[in-house]
Amino acid sequence: MVVQALKDQGVDVVFGYPGGAVLPIYDEVFQQNDIRHILVRHEQGAVHAAEGYARSTGKPGVVLVTSGPGATNAVTGLTDALMDSIPLVVLTGQVPTFMIGNDAFQEADTVGITRPCTKHNWLVSDTKTLSGTLHQAFHVATSGRPGPVLVDIPKDVQFASADYTPPQKARIDHYQPQVKGDMDEITELVQALEKAKRPIFYTGGGVINSGPAASQLLRELVDATGVPITSTLMGLGAYPANGKNWLGMLGMHGLYEANMAMHDCDLMINIGARFDDRITGRVDAFSPGSKKAHIDIDPSSINKVIRTDIPIVGDVGHVLEDILKVWKSRGRKINREATQKWWAQIEDWKKINCLAYSQTGKAIKPQHALSRLEALTKDHDRYICTEVGQHQMWAAQYLTFNDPNRWMTSGGLGTMGYGFPASIGVQIAHPEALVINVAGEASWLMNMQEMGTAAQYRLPVKQFILNNERLGMVRQWQELLHGERYSHSWSEALPDFVKLAEAFGAKGILCKDPADLDDAIIEMLNFDGPVLFDCLVEKHENCFPMIPSGEPHNKMLLGEASTKDAIGSKGAVMV
């Protein structure tokens, strides 16, 4: 019943790890060839791999794990997927129904534990409801704001038999989120757009989650109106980085011009973002002079953090389609003279060159490492994953994304250990593509065991480690905000990553000289198999721009290279 439900839902791959309470399902998996099973080395890795698969394909990721520790190990991945709106269906084994509550071997209250970190979950106590529940799970995971769901299946339910419910007969009518936006509010937004002197589009992961059509409609709207556009970390690629209206990423480590434009705009159009704290800075000082519109399929996200003047509940794709129709029908009007002055101001902000750096000396600057990685891989069929930390922000700043679903990172939860297993999921989904995980050495070690998975399935994933022998972002905050008291932020017992790679049957590459960097990256790209690239970088380099904690988003720390020429200062300067 479980396997047939997965087949009927179009599932072609499952990421999992077997255990006693889920063996009946594993026995059925063994006896069929339509669904591929990927054996991970840890259940957290299974969920992150499924996230990478889901993000890069737009299809729900599927996970199969056992009861007790199998389920609890999946909790971090579930929370990560909930925060970033990633559709997942996680199937967990459970002890038999008559043993639930008796502290049986490998028993845990999976439904209770995962209720706060799933969109919805079910404990199936009757085999008659199992197949229908599975179809409901896929519907809930993928409808409205996507997210993870969990189905807990006791072992006696797995052993029993009952009639199978096909997808078309499953009950899903009780969950039908609103997808069409209110036309009065959409018309009000278009009217505001026609009059605005300093408009900006602020976009998020909701555009990508809505599907490829939403990204195309966004591009059409932005290019037709000539309005500048910025994006959150999760929304990169919805509008192309080579597009003429692109300002770059905004937020805590976003670009100077993007944050300044957000602060000084008179009309902010939020499309599929949630005003999270890494974007707003100090809430009471966030873009104080602007009229704000918010388009989101999740009603609970609207007015949760920032009060909006034009709230539009609906699917981004549907709402963008209606905005374009209304705007065109009203004569395609825009305040061209005012927006030209607005662009002139933005061009002045760009002159700060906030991503400037100087590659001098014998130590590789992390910015230089990623600039060279960008130059040597941008023309490939490329997917980028990251771990969490400084390297993640540098990757968002120096790598470019011209299409959606090409950028996989942990945004809301900030999960160290996310990137490596996510890259495995992406590579499984796109076996011929170049998949690179930009990592820090500390984050990568969190789920290093998945190198066994990469080696077993001969996956040519490239692990590009910016190794500063520090917990880089922690160390940066300690330098800037905690009086340079570096409490437990140095890694003093790191492995030899080349030998570690070889121990797993992969290839290891060490690079510590800027002169060798290009050749080493090319060697990594040419190797047909998993690669662990250990790039030794400047140990105390900081990631700028940066909005310090407690500051508004127009008060940024800029690095020495971008401030020295612009305002004649040295070191990090508040602008």
Side-chain angles (χ1 to χ4, degrees):
M1 198 177 283
V2 171
V3 171
Q4 187 60 50
L6 297 181
K7 290 179 182 178
D8 288 347
Q9 289 291 339
V11 174
D12 54 11
V13 63
V14 170
F15 302 90
Y17 201 93
V22 80
L23 286 183
I25 299 174
Y26 266 92
D27 193 44
E28 291 298 324
V29 169
F30 180 84
Q31 297 180 61
Q32 57 82 50
N33 294 311
D34 296 325
I35 298 173
R36 187 182 185 192
H37 180 277
I38 303 300
L39 177 66
V40 297
R41 300 307 189 261
H42 190 282
E43 290 87 357
Q44 182 185 350
V47 185
H48 292 327
E51 285 187 273
Y53 177 93
R55 287 186 175 185
S56 65
T57 62
K59 298 166 60 178
V62 180
V63 176
L64 178 59
V65 296
T66 194
S67 64
T72 58
N73 280 346
V75 165
T76 298
L78 287 168
T79 312
D80 188 270
L82 185 70
M83 293 282 280
D84 287 345
S85 307
I86 308 303
L88 297 182
V89 176
V90 177
L91 309 178
T92 56
Q94 183 55 276
V95 300
T97 54
F98 56 85
M99 297 178 70
I100 291 175
N102 289 332
D103 293 333
F105 177 67
Q106 290 194 333
E107 181 192 357
D109 178 10
T110 300
V111 167
I113 290 167
T114 62
R115 186 172 287 117
C117 55
T118 54
K119 191 176 175 185
H120 195 65
N121 62 16
W122 296 261
L123 171 62
V124 180
S125 57
D126 187 341
T127 308
K128 294 176 183 178
T129 65
L130 176 57
S131 51
T133 299
L134 291 169
H135 298 313
Q136 283 186 50
F138 277 88
H139 173 71
V140 172
T142 56
S143 301
R145 179 179 177 176
V149 299
L150 182 142
V151 182
D152 200 27
I153 313 173
K155 195 167 184 179
D156 57 331
V157 172
Q158 297 174 44
F159 272 125
S161 60
D163 292 334
Y164 175 76
T165 303
Q168 58 271 24
K169 291 188 177 181
R171 178 173 174 253
I172 59 172
D173 57 340
H174 57 303
Y175 180 64
Q176 298 293 339
Q178 178 181 336
V179 295
K180 296 289 286 184
D182 181 273
M183 289 307 297
D184 290 340
E185 290 167 343
I186 287 172
T187 302
E188 184 182 352
L189 172 55
V190 171
Q191 291 171 337
L193 182 60
E194 290 169 347
K195 298 174 183 176
K197 295 180 179 180
R198 301 183 306 280
I200 190 169
F201 288 111
Y202 152 40
T203 58
V207 181
I208 295 172
N209 287 340
S210 183
S215 293
Q216 283 302 121
L217 289 164
L218 175 68
R219 293 167 189 224
E220 182 182 347
L221 179 62
V222 172
D223 292 342
T225 58
V227 171
I229 179 171
T230 182
S231 168
T232 67
L233 181 74
M234 301 305 297
L236 297 177
Y239 184 83
N242 59 11
K244 61 181 176 13
N245 297 317
W246 178 238
L247 300 187
M249 182 180 72
L250 79 156
M252 176 172 280
H253 292 285
L255 273 62
Y256 180 76
E257 53 266 31
N259 284 332
M260 292 302 294
M262 284 281 284
H263 187 268
D264 284 5
C265 69
D266 67 350
L267 176 63
M268 179 187 298
I269 304 174
N270 177 335
I271 308 175
R274 56 187 179 86
F275 289 112
D276 78 279
D277 59 286
R278 287 302 195 259
I279 299 302
T280 62
R282 204 175 76 229
V283 170
D284 62 1
F286 177 69
S287 192
S290 66
K291 187 172 190 175
K292 299 175 182 67
H294 190 183
I295 303 165
D296 204 297
I297 199 165
D298 181 4
S300 71
S301 290
I302 293 178
N303 291 326
K304 182 170 68 175
V305 178
I306 298 291
R307 183 190 168 275
T308 51
D309 304 285
I310 309 174
I312 302 176
V313 177
D315 176 76
V316 164
H318 286 281
V319 175
L320 285 174
E321 185 177 19
D322 286 338
I323 290 173
L324 273 163
K325 286 179 181 176
V326 173
W327 181 71
K328 290 176 181 177
S329 71
R330 291 172 57 89
R332 300 171 181 259
K333 289 179 284 186
I334 204 86
N335 191 338
R336 301 285 179 189
E337 183 179 350
T339 53
Q340 285 178 357
K341 292 180 181 178
W342 179 224
W343 270 111
Q345 173 63 73
I346 290 170
E347 292 302 322
D348 279 344
W349 286 327
K350 286 184 178 181
K351 292 175 184 176
I352 291 289
N353 193 13
C354 65
L355 295 184
Y357 68 91
S358 178
Q359 175 56 59
T360 56
K362 293 187 176 180
I364 300 172
K365 292 271 188 165
Q367 301 96 318
H368 180 64
L370 288 172
S371 295
R372 297 313 304 154
L373 184 69
E374 166 71 7
L376 295 169
T377 64
K378 64 181 179 180
D379 294 329
H380 287 68
D381 178 17
R382 184 185 75 178
Y383 293 82
I384 299 291
C385 300
T386 78
E387 304 290 347
V388 169
Q390 286 178 317
H391 60 276
Q392 176 190 28
M393 296 297 106
W394 281 315
Q397 291 172 343
Y398 291 94
L399 304 181
T400 58
F401 303 94
N402 295 317
D403 295 295
N405 305 106
R406 298 285 177 150
W407 164 249
M408 275 58 64
T409 195
S410 175
L413 193 62
T415 307
M416 294 174 69
Y418 165 87
F420 185 14
S423 70
I424 287 174
V426 175
Q427 193 77 76
I428 290 290
H430 307 278
E432 302 303 319
L434 172 62
V435 181
I436 302 172
N437 177 38
V438 177
E441 80 289 342
S443 273
W444 191 85
L445 287 171
M446 288 270 184
N447 273 317
M448 59 169 277
Q449 74 284 341
E450 298 307 324
M451 187 59 87
T453 307
Q456 176 178 340
Y457 296 99
R458 305 180 189 279
L459 303 174
V461 288
K462 315 303 182 189
Q463 306 302 307
F464 192 77
I465 295 178
L466 299 180
N467 186 351
N468 57 14
E469 300 179 3
R470 305 287 186 271
L471 309 183
M473 192 63 83
V474 173
R475 187 213 58 77
Q476 176 170 334
W477 280 54
Q478 288 173 338
E479 176 186 336
L480 299 176
L481 303 174
H482 297 280
E484 299 185 41
R485 291 179 293 276
Y486 300 116
S487 178
H488 301 283
S489 57
W490 292 19
S491 302
E492 297 185 355
L494 289 171
D496 181 324
F497 284 105
V498 172
K499 289 181 179 178
L500 182 64
E502 292 170 350
F504 276 105
K507 182 176 182 61
I509 297 174
L510 173 65
C511 184
K512 53 187 177 181
D513 189 329
D516 299 332
L517 186 58
D518 279 21
D519 287 343
I521 292 173
I522 292 169
E523 181 184 1
M524 175 185 77
L525 299 177
N526 288 339
F527 184 76
D528 184 21
V531 177
L532 189 53
F533 188 109
D534 185 12
C535 185
L536 300 185
V537 297
E538 171 63 48
K539 291 180 173 56
H540 291 163
E541 189 72 11
N542 286 329
C543 184
F544 294 118
M546 176 185 176
I547 302 173
S549 180
E551 294 289 347
H553 71 150
N554 67 324
K555 296 294 184 182
M556 282 160 278
L557 287 172
L558 300 182
E560 179 179 351
S562 57
T563 57
K564 188 160 50 177
D565 294 333
I567 52 179
S569 300
K570 292 184 178 181
V573 172
M574 181 81 83
V575 176

